[in-house]
Amino acid sequence: MYSKIITIEQHILAGEKRHPEATGVFSNLLYDIALAAKIIAREIHRAGLGKWLGEAGTINVQGEKQMKLDIFANETLIRMNSFTGRVGVMATEEMELPVPQTPIMRDEGKYVLIFDPLDGSSNIDINVTVGTIFAIYHRRSAPGSPGTLDDCLQPGRDLVAAGYVIYGSSVMMVYTTGDGVHGFTLDPSLGEFLLSHPNIQIPQKPLYYSTNFAYEDIWSEGVRRYTDYLRGREPEEPSASLSTRYVGALVADFHRNLLRGGVFYYPMLYRDPQHPKPKMRLLCEAAPVAFIAQQAGGYASDGHGDILDIVPTELHQRVPLFIGNRDLVEKAETYIRRYG
Ligand code: AHM
Ligand code: MG
Protein backbone atom coordinates (compact mmCIF):
# COMPACT_ATOMS: atom_id res chain seq x y z
CA MET A 1 0.00 0.00 0.00
CA TYR A 2 1.20 3.49 -0.81
CA SER A 3 0.60 6.29 1.64
CA LYS A 4 -0.16 9.75 0.32
CA ILE A 5 2.29 12.64 0.31
CA ILE A 6 0.35 15.65 1.59
CA THR A 7 1.79 19.16 1.85
CA ILE A 8 0.56 21.57 4.49
CA GLU A 9 -0.98 23.65 1.73
CA GLN A 10 -3.00 20.69 0.42
CA HIS A 11 -4.08 19.85 3.95
CA ILE A 12 -5.19 23.41 4.68
CA LEU A 13 -7.14 23.53 1.41
CA ALA A 14 -8.80 20.18 2.15
CA GLY A 15 -9.90 21.67 5.50
CA GLU A 16 -11.30 24.70 3.70
CA LYS A 17 -13.39 22.50 1.37
CA ARG A 18 -15.21 21.13 4.41
CA HIS A 19 -16.55 24.66 5.01
CA PRO A 20 -18.56 25.73 1.96
CA GLU A 21 -18.88 29.26 3.36
CA ALA A 22 -15.07 29.67 3.55
CA THR A 23 -13.54 32.47 1.51
CA GLY A 24 -9.94 31.27 1.63
CA VAL A 25 -8.76 34.07 3.92
CA PHE A 26 -8.27 31.77 6.87
CA SER A 27 -6.45 29.16 4.79
CA ASN A 28 -4.08 31.81 3.51
CA LEU A 29 -3.46 33.08 7.03
CA LEU A 30 -2.42 29.59 8.15
CA TYR A 31 -0.17 29.30 5.14
CA ASP A 32 1.38 32.71 5.91
CA ILE A 33 2.28 31.41 9.37
CA ALA A 34 3.86 28.30 7.84
CA LEU A 35 5.93 30.52 5.56
CA ALA A 36 7.02 32.76 8.46
CA ALA A 37 8.02 29.58 10.32
CA LYS A 38 10.27 28.55 7.44
CA ILE A 39 12.00 31.94 7.48
CA ILE A 40 12.50 31.74 11.26
CA ALA A 41 13.72 28.13 10.98
CA ARG A 42 16.28 29.10 8.35
CA GLU A 43 17.84 31.64 10.69
CA ILE A 44 17.66 29.41 13.77
CA HIS A 45 19.59 26.75 11.92
CA ARG A 46 22.38 29.24 11.26
CA ALA A 47 22.33 30.68 14.78
CA GLY A 48 25.50 28.87 15.82
CA LEU A 49 27.46 30.69 13.12
CA GLY A 50 27.30 33.80 15.19
CA LYS A 51 25.03 36.39 13.61
CA TRP A 52 22.07 35.63 15.85
CA LEU A 53 23.74 34.54 19.06
CA GLY A 54 23.36 36.54 22.21
CA GLU A 55 21.17 39.15 23.78
CA ALA A 56 19.82 42.09 21.83
CA GLY A 57 20.48 44.47 24.73
CA THR A 58 16.77 45.25 25.09
CA ILE A 59 14.12 44.29 27.66
CA ASN A 60 10.60 43.26 26.63
CA VAL A 61 7.27 44.11 28.25
CA GLN A 62 7.67 41.10 30.57
CA GLY A 63 10.90 42.58 31.94
CA GLU A 64 12.91 39.82 30.25
CA LYS A 65 16.11 40.26 28.24
CA GLN A 66 15.41 39.87 24.54
CA MET A 67 17.61 37.65 22.41
CA LYS A 68 18.47 38.76 18.88
CA LEU A 69 16.39 35.92 17.50
CA ASP A 70 13.38 36.91 19.67
CA ILE A 71 13.35 40.18 17.82
CA PHE A 72 13.92 38.61 14.41
CA ALA A 73 11.11 36.07 14.90
CA ASN A 74 8.77 38.78 16.15
CA GLU A 75 9.49 41.03 13.20
CA THR A 76 9.13 38.19 10.72
CA LEU A 77 5.64 37.31 11.95
CA ILE A 78 4.63 40.97 11.98
CA ARG A 79 6.01 41.66 8.49
CA MET A 80 4.37 38.53 7.13
CA ASN A 81 0.93 39.41 8.47
CA SER A 82 0.74 43.21 8.38
CA PHE A 83 0.14 43.65 4.68
CA THR A 84 -2.15 40.79 3.70
CA GLY A 85 -5.47 42.24 4.77
CA ARG A 86 -6.27 39.01 6.58
CA VAL A 87 -5.49 40.13 10.15
CA GLY A 88 -7.34 43.00 11.87
CA VAL A 89 -5.18 43.04 14.97
CA MET A 90 -2.05 41.25 16.18
CA ALA A 91 -0.49 40.90 19.62
CA THR A 92 2.79 39.35 20.63
CA GLU A 93 4.59 38.33 23.81
CA GLU A 94 7.32 40.81 22.93
CA MET A 95 5.21 44.00 22.76
CA GLU A 96 3.16 45.74 25.41
CA LEU A 97 0.27 46.75 23.17
CA PRO A 98 -1.29 45.21 20.08
CA VAL A 99 0.99 45.68 17.08
CA PRO A 100 0.48 49.11 15.43
CA GLN A 101 -1.77 48.67 12.46
CA THR A 102 -1.19 49.23 8.80
CA PRO A 103 -4.15 50.65 6.83
CA ILE A 104 -4.78 47.30 5.20
CA MET A 105 -5.13 45.62 8.60
CA ARG A 106 -7.68 48.21 9.67
CA ASP A 107 -9.82 47.91 6.60
CA GLU A 108 -10.22 44.27 5.97
CA GLY A 109 -8.71 41.91 8.48
CA LYS A 110 -11.27 39.61 10.00
CA TYR A 111 -8.89 37.61 12.16
CA VAL A 112 -6.95 38.22 15.36
CA LEU A 113 -3.45 36.75 15.53
CA ILE A 114 -1.62 36.36 18.85
CA PHE A 115 1.81 34.78 19.12
CA ASP A 116 4.87 34.01 21.17
CA PRO A 117 7.43 34.41 18.39
CA LEU A 118 10.24 32.45 20.02
CA ASP A 119 9.34 30.47 23.09
CA GLY A 120 12.14 29.23 25.32
CA SER A 121 14.61 31.61 23.73
CA SER A 122 17.15 31.20 26.52
CA ASN A 123 17.85 27.86 24.78
CA ILE A 124 19.09 29.42 21.54
CA ASP A 125 22.70 30.02 22.47
CA ILE A 126 23.15 26.43 23.58
CA ASN A 127 21.54 24.78 20.54
CA VAL A 128 18.50 23.44 22.38
CA THR A 129 14.93 23.32 21.06
CA VAL A 130 12.80 26.47 20.84
CA GLY A 131 9.38 27.13 19.34
CA THR A 132 6.78 29.56 18.03
CA ILE A 133 3.23 29.47 19.40
CA PHE A 134 0.21 31.05 17.68
CA ALA A 135 -3.48 31.60 18.32
CA ILE A 136 -6.14 32.76 15.85
CA TYR A 137 -9.52 34.21 16.81
CA HIS A 138 -12.33 35.82 14.82
CA ARG A 139 -12.27 39.54 15.14
CA ARG A 140 -15.20 40.84 17.19
CA SER A 141 -15.17 44.50 16.22
CA ALA A 142 -16.54 45.40 12.81
CA PRO A 143 -14.02 45.34 9.97
CA GLY A 144 -13.38 48.77 8.51
CA SER A 145 -12.21 50.28 11.79
CA PRO A 146 -9.02 49.51 13.69
CA GLY A 147 -9.03 46.13 15.47
CA THR A 148 -8.94 46.62 19.24
CA LEU A 149 -7.32 45.32 22.38
CA ASP A 150 -10.73 43.91 23.24
CA ASP A 151 -10.55 41.75 20.11
CA CYS A 152 -7.49 40.10 21.68
CA LEU A 153 -9.08 39.43 25.06
CA GLN A 154 -11.02 36.31 24.10
CA PRO A 155 -11.19 33.03 26.01
CA GLY A 156 -9.45 29.98 24.55
CA ARG A 157 -12.91 28.47 24.08
CA ASP A 158 -13.38 30.89 21.15
CA LEU A 159 -10.16 29.97 19.34
CA VAL A 160 -10.55 29.31 15.64
CA ALA A 161 -7.10 27.75 15.35
CA ALA A 162 -3.96 27.29 17.40
CA GLY A 163 -0.61 25.77 16.79
CA TYR A 164 3.09 25.77 17.32
CA VAL A 165 6.27 25.30 15.39
CA ILE A 166 9.03 23.31 17.06
CA TYR A 167 12.58 23.95 15.91
CA GLY A 168 14.14 20.71 17.07
CA SER A 169 16.09 17.89 15.45
CA SER A 170 13.60 18.54 12.68
CA VAL A 171 11.19 21.44 12.28
CA MET A 172 7.54 20.62 12.77
CA MET A 173 4.37 22.67 12.59
CA VAL A 174 1.51 21.26 14.65
CA TYR A 175 -1.92 22.86 14.50
CA THR A 176 -5.61 22.41 15.07
CA THR A 177 -8.64 24.15 13.67
CA GLY A 178 -10.92 22.19 15.99
CA ASP A 179 -10.83 19.15 13.73
CA GLY A 180 -8.08 17.12 15.36
CA VAL A 181 -4.38 17.89 15.73
CA HIS A 182 -2.09 17.47 12.75
CA GLY A 183 1.70 17.65 12.58
CA PHE A 184 3.83 18.50 9.54
CA THR A 185 7.58 18.02 9.26
CA LEU A 186 9.64 20.42 7.19
CA ASP A 187 11.56 18.73 4.41
CA PRO A 188 14.44 21.21 4.17
CA SER A 189 15.46 20.11 0.69
CA LEU A 190 11.96 20.87 -0.64
CA GLY A 191 11.15 23.75 1.69
CA GLU A 192 7.76 22.12 2.26
CA PHE A 193 5.97 21.02 5.41
CA LEU A 194 4.70 17.47 4.76
CA LEU A 195 2.02 15.75 6.81
CA SER A 196 3.90 13.36 9.10
CA HIS A 197 1.66 13.10 12.18
CA PRO A 198 -2.06 13.04 11.22
CA ASN A 199 -4.69 13.03 13.99
CA ILE A 200 -2.36 13.16 16.98
CA GLN A 201 -3.88 11.76 20.18
CA ILE A 202 -2.10 11.77 23.54
CA PRO A 203 -1.23 8.15 24.39
CA GLN A 204 -3.44 6.83 27.17
CA LYS A 205 -0.50 5.49 29.10
CA PRO A 206 1.68 8.47 29.98
CA LEU A 207 5.45 8.29 30.29
CA TYR A 208 6.61 11.64 31.66
CA TYR A 209 6.09 14.46 34.13
CA SER A 210 7.79 17.75 33.42
CA THR A 211 8.34 20.62 35.80
CA ASN A 212 11.11 22.80 37.17
CA PHE A 213 11.99 21.25 40.54
CA ALA A 214 14.15 24.24 41.44
CA TYR A 215 10.94 25.93 42.60
CA GLU A 216 9.80 23.12 44.89
CA ASP A 217 10.29 25.22 48.02
CA ILE A 218 7.98 27.92 46.71
CA TRP A 219 5.19 25.63 45.50
CA SER A 220 1.93 25.23 47.38
CA GLU A 221 1.36 22.21 49.60
CA GLY A 222 -1.06 20.80 46.99
CA VAL A 223 1.54 20.95 44.20
CA ARG A 224 4.21 19.39 46.43
CA ARG A 225 1.92 16.49 47.31
CA TYR A 226 0.83 16.11 43.70
CA THR A 227 4.50 15.81 42.76
CA ASP A 228 4.95 13.19 45.46
CA TYR A 229 2.06 11.32 43.89
CA LEU A 230 3.71 11.49 40.45
CA ARG A 231 6.93 10.19 41.97
CA GLY A 232 5.07 7.34 43.62
CA ARG A 233 5.71 8.72 47.12
CA GLU A 234 2.12 9.32 48.25
CA PRO A 235 1.50 6.41 50.65
CA GLU A 236 -2.24 6.19 50.01
CA GLU A 237 -2.11 6.43 46.25
CA PRO A 238 0.22 4.34 44.18
CA SER A 239 0.95 6.22 40.94
CA ALA A 240 1.85 5.07 37.48
CA SER A 241 5.61 4.95 37.31
CA LEU A 242 6.65 7.97 35.27
CA SER A 243 10.00 9.39 34.30
CA THR A 244 10.85 13.05 34.42
CA ARG A 245 11.93 15.23 31.47
CA TYR A 246 12.25 19.03 31.41
CA VAL A 247 13.66 21.17 28.61
CA GLY A 248 12.54 24.57 29.89
CA ALA A 249 10.77 25.49 26.66
CA LEU A 250 7.03 24.98 26.75
CA VAL A 251 6.83 23.94 23.09
CA ALA A 252 9.44 21.23 23.56
CA ASP A 253 8.04 19.97 26.86
CA PHE A 254 4.47 20.02 25.57
CA HIS A 255 5.33 18.40 22.24
CA ARG A 256 7.17 15.50 23.88
CA ASN A 257 4.31 14.85 26.26
CA LEU A 258 1.76 15.16 23.44
CA LEU A 259 3.50 12.37 21.54
CA ARG A 260 4.52 10.20 24.49
CA GLY A 261 1.91 11.02 27.15
CA GLY A 262 2.51 12.90 30.36
CA VAL A 263 1.96 16.13 32.22
CA PHE A 264 3.77 19.47 32.14
CA TYR A 265 3.15 21.91 34.97
CA TYR A 266 4.28 25.39 35.85
CA PRO A 267 2.34 26.16 39.01
CA MET A 268 1.87 29.33 41.04
CA LEU A 269 5.14 30.36 42.72
CA TYR A 270 5.03 31.65 46.32
CA ARG A 271 8.29 33.60 46.36
CA ASP A 272 6.38 36.31 48.19
CA PRO A 273 3.62 34.38 49.97
CA GLN A 274 1.38 37.45 49.92
CA HIS A 275 1.73 37.88 46.15
CA PRO A 276 2.10 34.48 44.50
CA LYS A 277 2.94 34.65 40.81
CA PRO A 278 2.36 32.36 37.86
CA LYS A 279 4.64 32.51 34.79
CA MET A 280 2.93 31.17 31.69
CA ARG A 281 1.16 33.72 29.52
CA LEU A 282 -2.52 32.97 29.01
CA LEU A 283 -3.01 34.38 25.52
CA CYS A 284 0.16 33.46 23.69
CA GLU A 285 1.15 30.27 25.53
CA ALA A 286 -1.42 28.57 27.76
CA ALA A 287 -4.63 29.01 25.73
CA PRO A 288 -3.27 27.85 22.36
CA VAL A 289 -1.59 24.74 23.79
CA ALA A 290 -4.73 24.06 25.86
CA PHE A 291 -6.79 23.97 22.64
CA ILE A 292 -4.30 21.56 21.08
CA ALA A 293 -4.33 19.37 24.20
CA GLN A 294 -8.12 19.27 24.21
CA GLN A 295 -8.22 18.31 20.53
CA ALA A 296 -5.70 15.53 21.21
CA GLY A 297 -7.85 14.08 23.99
CA GLY A 298 -5.95 15.81 26.82
CA TYR A 299 -6.74 18.66 29.15
CA ALA A 300 -5.23 21.91 30.46
CA SER A 301 -6.05 23.52 33.78
CA ASP A 302 -4.89 26.42 35.92
CA GLY A 303 -5.14 24.04 38.88
CA HIS A 304 -8.81 24.86 39.45
CA GLY A 305 -10.54 24.61 36.09
CA ASP A 306 -10.22 24.57 32.33
CA ILE A 307 -7.73 27.08 30.86
CA LEU A 308 -10.07 27.44 27.87
CA ASP A 309 -12.76 28.99 30.10
CA ILE A 310 -10.60 31.84 31.41
CA VAL A 311 -11.72 35.20 30.03
CA PRO A 312 -8.59 37.39 29.82
CA THR A 313 -8.66 40.85 31.31
CA GLU A 314 -5.12 41.82 30.27
CA LEU A 315 -3.02 41.17 27.19
CA HIS A 316 -0.09 39.78 29.16
CA GLN A 317 -2.08 37.95 31.84
CA ARG A 318 -0.25 35.02 33.42
CA VAL A 319 -1.69 31.76 34.70
CA PRO A 320 -0.55 28.56 36.39
CA LEU A 321 -0.58 25.74 33.83
CA PHE A 322 -1.08 21.99 34.18
CA ILE A 323 -1.37 20.28 30.79
CA GLY A 324 -1.29 16.80 29.35
CA ASN A 325 -3.18 13.57 29.94
CA ARG A 326 -6.59 14.37 31.35
CA ASP A 327 -6.38 12.04 34.34
CA LEU A 328 -3.00 13.46 35.41
CA VAL A 329 -4.22 17.05 35.13
CA GLU A 330 -7.43 16.27 36.99
CA LYS A 331 -5.34 14.66 39.70
CA ALA A 332 -3.46 17.96 40.09
CA GLU A 333 -6.79 19.74 40.51
CA THR A 334 -7.78 17.22 43.19
CA TYR A 335 -4.55 17.75 45.16
CA ILE A 336 -4.85 21.53 44.90
CA ARG A 337 -8.49 21.43 46.03
CA ARG A 338 -7.54 19.22 48.97
CA TYR A 339 -4.29 20.80 50.13
CA GLY A 340 -4.23 24.24 48.53
P1 AHM B 1 9.90 32.67 27.00
O1 AHM B 1 8.66 32.58 26.18
O2 AHM B 1 10.12 34.07 27.51
O3 AHM B 1 11.10 32.13 26.32
O4 AHM B 1 9.74 31.85 28.38
C1 AHM B 1 8.77 30.93 28.65
C2 AHM B 1 9.44 29.68 29.07
C3 AHM B 1 8.60 28.49 28.73
O5 AHM B 1 8.79 28.07 27.43
C4 AHM B 1 9.12 27.47 29.70
O6 AHM B 1 8.20 26.47 29.87
C5 AHM B 1 9.40 28.30 30.91
O7 AHM B 1 9.60 29.61 30.45
C6 AHM B 1 10.64 27.86 31.62
O8 AHM B 1 10.80 28.58 32.78
P2 AHM B 1 11.87 28.19 33.93
O9 AHM B 1 13.18 28.52 33.35
O10 AHM B 1 11.47 29.05 35.07
O11 AHM B 1 11.69 26.73 34.23
MG1 MG C 1 7.10 31.82 25.80
Side-chain angles (χ1 to χ4, degrees), residues 64 93 116 118-121 212 215 246 248-250 264 266 279-281 285:
E64 299 158 342
E93 180 178 303
D116 179 352
L118 208 56
D119 178 64
S121 54
N212 188 340
Y215 303 123
Y246 189 72
L250 174 65
F264 165 91
Y266 205 115
K279 176 169 186 187
M280 306 314 298
R281 292 78 168 183
E285 294 175 334

Side-chain angles (χ1 to χ4, degrees), residues 320-339:
L321 177 64
F322 300 77
I323 188 164
N325 285 65
R326 176 168 279 280
D327 51 342
L328 291 177
V329 175
E330 285 176 348
K331 190 63 96 175
E333 290 177 336
T334 307
Y335 272 89
I336 287 168
R337 219 170 16 246
R338 205 176 289 159
Y339 302 106

Side-chain angles (χ1 to χ4, degrees), residues 27-325:
S27 297
N28 282 318
L29 171 54
L30 274 179
Y31 195 66
D32 292 340
I33 295 170
L35 184 52
K38 286 190 249 183
I39 297 173
I40 297 168
R42 184 188 65 199
E43 298 306 319
I44 286 175
H45 286 144
R46 297 201 293 224
L49 296 172
K51 181 177 168 198
W52 295 113
L53 288 192
E55 293 166 7
T58 46
I59 304 282
N60 71 6
V61 53
Q62 327 275 345
E64 299 158 342
K65 288 180 183 161
Q66 288 179 304
M67 308 297 285
K68 290 179 191 161
L69 268 175
D70 276 326
I71 295 178
F72 175 80
N74 196 45
E75 285 179 0
T76 301
L77 281 155
I78 292 173
R79 288 172 60 208
M80 183 63 68
N81 292 288
S82 287
F83 305 98
T84 59
R86 304 192 238 281
V87 176
V89 56
M90 263 188 277
T92 145
E93 180 178 303
E94 300 299 330
M95 293 162 73
E96 184 177 357
L97 298 171
V99 177
Q101 297 179 321
T102 60
I104 195 160
M105 280 166 73
R106 277 205 284 283
D107 291 348
E108 300 170 37
K110 50 183 192 175
Y111 290 100
V112 176
L113 174 62
I114 302 179
F115 51 86
D116 179 352
L118 208 56
D119 178 64
S121 54
S122 65
N123 281 349
I124 292 167
D125 283 6
I126 46 167
N127 204 359
V128 174
T129 300
V130 289
T132 295
I133 308 174
F134 64 91
I136 301 173
Y137 293 91
H138 284 298
R139 172 183 174 161
R140 283 171 166 170
S141 58
S145 57
T148 63
L149 172 63
D150 195 49
D151 287 324
C152 301
L153 301 181
Q154 300 193 42
R157 198 61 76 194
D158 293 345
L159 276 162
V160 178
Y164 59 83
V165 183
I166 179 165
Y167 310 98
S169 46
S170 46
V171 178
M172 270 184 81
M173 179 158 156
V174 176
Y175 76 87
T176 182
T177 57
D179 187 17
V181 179
H182 309 286
F184 302 80
T185 301
L186 182 64
D187 182 325
S189 63
L190 298 175
E192 287 279 5
F193 279 107
L194 302 179
L195 182 62
S196 52
H197 295 65
N199 290 312
I200 299 172
Q201 287 286 303
I202 300 189
Q204 291 198 347
K205 186 170 162 25
L207 290 187
Y208 300 122
Y209 62 110
S210 311
T211 194
N212 188 340
F213 288 100
Y215 303 123
E216 198 166 2
D217 292 346
I218 49 173
W219 287 343
S220 70
E221 173 69 9
V223 172
R224 269 198 293 272
R225 295 194 67 151
Y226 172 60
T227 306
D228 283 345
Y229 157 76
L230 294 171
R231 288 160 152 171
R233 292 184 189 168
E234 268 290 280
E236 287 140 43
E237 261 192 304
S239 75
S241 56
L242 302 175
S243 256
T244 187
R245 295 277 190 281
Y246 189 72
V247 175
L250 174 65
V251 169
D253 285 306
F254 175 72
H255 182 74
R256 181 197 52 246
N257 292 355
L258 180 70
L259 297 186
R260 292 286 178 262
V263 60
F264 165 91
Y265 53 106
Y266 205 115
M268 192 71 96
L269 300 182
Y270 290 80
R271 217 168 248 123
D272 170 359
Q274 302 308 315
H275 303 99
K277 285 194 176 148
K279 176 169 186 187
M280 306 314 298
R281 292 78 168 183
L282 175 59
L283 280 164
C284 62
E285 294 175 334
V289 288
F291 186 32
I292 296 168
Q294 181 235 51
Q295 285 291 313
Y299 175 48
S301 167
D302 65 354
H304 302 281
D306 199 326
I307 289 281
L308 296 175
D309 289 331
I310 301 175
V311 181
T313 54
E314 290 170 35
L315 196 53
H316 296 285
Q317 190 166 332
R318 292 171 185 249
V319 287
L321 177 64
F322 300 77
I323 188 164
N325 285 65

